[in-house]
Amino acid sequence: MPNPLFEKQKEAVTLRKLGKSLSEIATSLRVAKSSASLWTKNIVLSNQAKQILSQKKIDGQKKGIASLAIIRRKKQKIIENRIDKELKSMKIDKSMQKILCSFLYWAEGEKTTSNVSFINSDPVMINAFLILFRSSFPLDETKFRALVHIHDYHDDKKIKQFWSKKTHISLSQFNKSYLKHHTGTRIKKDYKGCIRVKYYDS
């Protein structure tokens, strides 16, 4: 009379030689993964079986990374929705705009000049500051000046056009660009340099 346990052990060995993982063997035979490992630990795998298992490991890692990315996106969406809800409930009047503008300037603005000078490489940060600055104070747009910091791999004209569009500052109010030293070892994709926006009135 056949021994069910012995038959399962034989089947485990066969499956392992075909390149099945321990998890696959355990699921197929409805046994613990530890049992599948014990029954197949002395098997010498063929190169083909090793390649199959190696590819499964790579595929599993990719699947795990993709799953984590989905989880992170879901968490990020939850956070964004909470922030959006919180912001919509806030009353942002002119006084609040001035406070927010001051906070941004405190973080990224120059504090030792007789003018308002703000520098950053993030278009969102620059745009946020200028929106708050313009909405908080009566300004003379002709008093704005802009200076972009670029590397030798940048197209100066295109970079100025990019920042002019983002800041709504005329190209005629842009100074000669400052060329930063570049080692050539790393080029940031889509990096538009950084910009210093000055308003000549303290």
Side-chain angles (χ1 to χ4, degrees):
M1 184 176 179
N3 185 328
L5 182 59
F6 180 68
E7 293 299 321
K8 283 191 175 184
Q9 290 174 340
K10 284 175 58 179
E11 183 66 18
V13 170
T14 300
L15 292 172
R16 189 60 171 168
K17 288 181 177 179
L18 292 174
K20 297 295 183 181
S21 69
L22 295 176
S23 295
E24 289 175 321
I25 294 171
T27 301
S28 177
L29 300 180
R30 296 182 180 179
V31 297
K33 188 177 178 180
S34 58
S35 297
S37 176
L38 179 65
W39 296 342
T40 61
K41 66 178 182 178
N42 295 322
I43 294 174
V44 178
L45 296 174
S46 66
N47 289 332
Q48 183 179 7
K50 289 179 180 178
Q51 289 176 358
I52 293 172
L53 288 169
S54 178
Q55 187 60 50
K56 284 181 180 179
K57 183 178 180 180
I58 293 171
D59 292 342
Q61 290 173 339
K62 288 181 179 178
K63 187 176 180 181
I65 292 171
S67 296
L68 287 175
I70 292 173
I71 293 172
R72 282 196 297 269
R73 285 197 294 270
K74 286 182 178 179
K75 286 183 178 179
Q76 183 67 26
K77 190 64 178 177
I78 291 173
I79 292 171
E80 289 174 356
N81 288 338
R82 286 178 180 174
I83 292 172
D84 187 54
K85 185 178 179 180
E86 187 72 23
L87 288 174
K88 286 180 178 178
S89 67
M90 293 174 62
K91 182 181 179 182
I92 304 179
D93 54 18
K94 191 169 288 291
S95 294
M96 176 62 76
Q97 288 174 347
K98 286 183 178 181
I99 291 172
L100 294 174
C101 184
S102 298
F103 283 168
L104 281 178
Y105 192 75
W106 185 16
E108 299 294 333
E110 293 183 25
K111 290 84 177 178
T112 58
T113 63
S114 60
N115 52 68
V116 177
S117 183
F118 190 85
I119 185 168
N120 208 273
S121 62
D122 185 352
V124 176
M125 180 76 79
I126 291 290
N127 193 40
F129 173 74
L130 288 176
I131 287 174
L132 290 169
F133 188 45
R134 284 173 166 135
S135 62
S136 299
F137 306 97
L139 303 178
D140 179 354
E141 290 291 326
T142 65
K143 291 186 177 182
F144 274 113
R145 293 295 183 271
L147 171 69
V148 292
H149 293 212
I150 58 174
H151 291 298
D152 52 13
Y153 61 82
H154 282 127
D155 184 318
D156 184 47
K157 184 178 179 180
K158 287 183 178 179
I159 294 297
K160 284 182 176 178
Q161 288 174 340
F162 170 82
W163 283 113
S164 177
K165 184 177 180 180
K166 290 293 180 181
T167 61
H168 301 289
I169 297 174
S170 171
L171 283 170
S172 63
Q173 292 169 249
F174 274 66
N175 299 120
K176 182 180 179 181
S177 299
Y178 174 77
L179 184 62
K180 298 168 66 177
H181 175 68
H182 182 247
T183 61
T185 57
R186 183 183 178 192
I187 296 178
K188 297 180 183 178
K189 187 179 180 181
D190 297 327
Y191 177 60
K192 304 298 184 183
C194 65
I195 184 171
R196 184 178 67 189
V197 175
K198 279 193 174 186
Y199 185 75
Y200 282 90
D201 192 326
S202 60

